Amino acid sequence: MPGGHLTYEDRRKIADGLAEGLAYAEIARRLGRPRSTIGREIARNGGPHGYHAARAQQATTWRARRRPTPPPPHPAAGGIARPDQAGRDPEAVREYEQKLTGLLAGGWPPMAAKVMVCLLTSDSGNLTVADLIERLRVSPASISKAVGALEQLGLVKRERDNRRERYFIDDDVWYRAWLVGTRSMALWAATVRQGADVLGANTPASTRLLTASRFFQLLSDDMAAAAEHYRTAFAGSWTPTP
């Protein structure tokens, strides 16, 4: 019922709504639920492209058995959560984090997306394992696996801080990620072009691969030019890491 916990039937309707391409607001309207509830449910269970009703139900049951429900934020008069020390609305912050997590989860592992969002939205730009466990309510192993995936992409660094691991994102995080993408496009171009040679000149398959190779090379060149423009425009404000 509205205001209560989501049931399996609710989750099945959410999955059906996503399959139909419905907006979160429309799914929420059909279920008679707040939009924030629907957004939170989808973000924590695979995002809009990875949400499955049965998995979401199972994950919810597992979480309920694993830990007690965290206490709600301290309410102000009228039941509204108090702004934090920077004057930010906690509910608005949570909704934004869920939206950004859903966006990143479309191409990343869900937990890696959640960890990245935690780092991006932290004022310090760095968090310990304990910080992430407290915010995400997951195991240390889940955090370690997610950070490992982000390290492979060059997005996160880790350092020792009094025997604790602390994870960082730098000001040039997107620049380095872009360079990884640029190199990936160049590798695609070279590999696909090699296939054209193997399949023989002037064959339909070779022509198709050559067209694809030119496409990836164009992307690589454009991305390299954009990276250089970014580096030049921000020269002096940060030191890019190759």
Side-chain angles (χ1 to χ4, degrees), residues 48-67:
H49 302 293
Y51 185 87
H52 297 280
R55 292 182 192 170
Q57 184 73 17
Q58 184 178 26
T60 300
T61 301
W62 181 83
R63 284 192 294 264
R65 290 175 180 173
R66 182 177 175 83
R67 67 180 188 281

Side-chain angles (χ1 to χ4, degrees), residues 1-221:
M1 67 179 187
H5 293 295
L6 290 172
T7 65
Y8 175 71
E9 182 62 20
D10 292 332
R11 292 187 167 95
R12 189 182 65 79
K13 291 179 179 178
I14 291 173
D16 290 343
L18 291 173
E20 293 177 34
L22 299 179
Y24 290 8
E26 177 60 20
I27 296 174
R29 186 189 68 78
R30 293 188 179 187
L31 290 176
R33 301 277 186 163
R35 183 191 178 286
S36 59
T37 298
I38 302 303
R40 185 162 51 247
E41 167 69 14
I42 294 171
R44 68 167 43 165
N45 291 296
H49 302 293
Y51 185 87
H52 297 280
R55 292 182 192 170
Q57 184 73 17
Q58 184 178 26
T60 300
T61 301
W62 181 83
R63 284 192 294 264
R65 290 175 180 173
R66 182 177 175 83
R67 67 180 188 281
T69 303
H74 182 68
I80 301 174
R82 296 183 186 277
D84 65 10
Q85 293 181 348
R88 294 174 288 216
D89 177 2
E91 183 61 25
V93 171
R94 279 192 295 272
E95 287 192 7
Y96 172 73
E97 289 175 344
Q98 290 154 13
K99 181 177 182 180
L100 185 56
T101 299
L103 180 65
L104 294 179
W108 294 0
M111 188 54 61
K114 292 178 181 180
V115 169
M116 189 64 182
V117 169
C118 285
L119 289 167
L120 284 172
T121 57
S122 67
D123 287 325
S124 64
N126 65 84
L127 295 169
T128 64
V129 176
D131 295 330
L132 289 167
I133 290 173
E134 181 179 357
R135 291 186 62 168
L136 298 176
R137 303 292 181 176
V138 296
S139 67
S142 296
I143 299 297
S144 179
K145 184 176 180 180
V147 170
L150 293 171
E151 280 186 309
Q152 289 183 347
L153 294 172
L155 299 176
V156 169
K157 298 178 181 178
R158 69 172 84 197
E159 294 181 5
R160 281 284 179 179
D161 175 19
N162 295 327
R163 294 187 299 178
R164 298 180 304 175
E165 282 197 338
R166 186 174 290 276
Y167 307 123
F168 293 81
I169 54 172
D170 296 328
D171 291 340
D172 67 342
V173 59
W174 300 117
Y175 172 81
R176 288 186 284 110
W178 191 262
L179 290 182
V180 171
T182 302
R183 289 191 289 268
S184 177
M185 288 299 101
L187 180 60
W188 270 94
T191 303
V192 174
R193 186 168 57 251
Q194 182 183 12
D197 295 335
V198 172
L199 293 171
N202 301 321
T203 63
S206 175
T207 300
R208 186 181 309 115
L209 290 178
L210 283 174
T211 300
S213 177
R214 286 194 292 269
F215 171 74
F216 288 121
Q217 188 61 55
L218 179 63
L219 284 180
S220 177
D221 293 342

